[in-house]
Amino acid sequence: MLKVIGLTGGIGSGKSTVAKMFEMLNVPIYYADKEAKNLMKNDTGLKLKIKQLFGEKAYLNNELNRRYIADIVFKDKEKLKTLNSLVHPAVRKHFLTWLGSQTERYVIQENPLIFEKNHQHHFDKVILVTADKQVRIKRVMDRDNVSEEQVIERISNQKDDKLKIELADFTINNDTLENTKIQVLDIHHALRA
């Protein structure tokens, strides 16, 4: 019986690092954010709806104008909600198609908004990745070349880790790579049992 595991965590927590560790253990990973970006770029129906929501500036040279959209949605929660209501069903459909081709004991969907969207019921188990808030802020500032204020604004759009810890089946404290690897291995063995 194929198990579907959710992997989530706040922005800058290190979800992708943890996902890559599972990938090295030959666990199939579905990167929901990456697939959402692919669908927003390549799905003509979805592109049309996004242009209707944000205007022609939503795309530059046929590429999603991420910074333009991010500046809008992180200040306007209704626009963010509407964008999510367009993208999430498309990603869910794509994921279910991908899932049909998997043969391992379990797969992981890396998805930053499992608890925010109350989607934990879509998964057999959920793994939460956490990290110190200041570490997260620095990681995102370095990665996305944005200000501390912009990162804090993004973090404020996500549920607090304390609430998520209560909902998660497993929690990985991503403080050091060595410690994180040990936690990933422990969870991998538990999920294969």
Side-chain angles (χ1 to χ4, degrees), residues 49-183:
K49 290 175 186 172
I50 291 170
K51 284 180 183 177
Q52 288 169 343
L53 181 62
F54 295 103
E56 290 298 318
K57 282 185 180 177
Y59 289 86
L60 290 177
N61 302 323
N62 211 29
E63 292 289 326
L64 186 68
N65 189 346
R66 291 180 60 205
R67 189 165 287 235
Y68 169 76
I69 290 173
D71 286 344
I72 294 170
V73 298
F74 287 113
K75 291 183 179 89
D76 184 340
K77 289 195 190 304
E78 278 308 306
K79 279 258 178 20
L80 177 60
K81 196 174 174 181
T82 305
L83 177 63
N84 286 337
S85 75
L86 299 175
V87 176
H88 289 160
V91 172
R92 181 81 184 143
K93 183 179 173 192
H94 186 266
F95 171 71
L96 292 173
T97 302
W98 174 86
L99 189 61
S101 66
Q102 301 308 313
T103 58
E104 292 296 320
R105 279 207 180 142
Y106 75 95
V107 300
I108 290 178
Q109 183 188 105
E110 191 246 22
N111 186 328
L113 299 175
I114 290 172
F115 295 124
E116 284 76 4
K117 298 294 163 208
N118 202 25
H119 285 174
Q120 55 271 27
H121 61 277
H122 289 305
F123 303 95
D124 295 300
K125 301 280 183 195
V126 177
I127 303 166
L128 172 66
V129 182
T130 64
D132 179 73
K133 188 174 180 180
Q134 287 309 318
V135 171
R136 291 171 57 195
I137 290 168
K138 181 171 179 359
R139 283 177 184 164
V140 178
M141 286 172 65
D142 293 346
R143 181 189 74 197
D144 296 350
N145 195 25
V146 291
S147 71
E148 184 173 356
E149 293 74 32
Q150 287 171 302
V151 180
I152 291 168
E153 196 173 345
R154 290 180 192 178
I155 288 173
S156 73
N157 281 315
Q158 297 182 328
K159 267 189 181 164
D160 186 81
D161 276 353
K162 288 182 187 85
L163 298 170
K164 293 192 237 184
I165 288 168
E166 292 176 22
L167 298 169
D169 298 287
F170 302 99
T171 301
I172 293 175
N173 181 0
N174 187 15
D175 51 2
T176 68
L177 282 177
E178 210 43 56
N179 189 27
T180 301
K181 282 179 193 170
I182 292 166
Q183 294 172 81

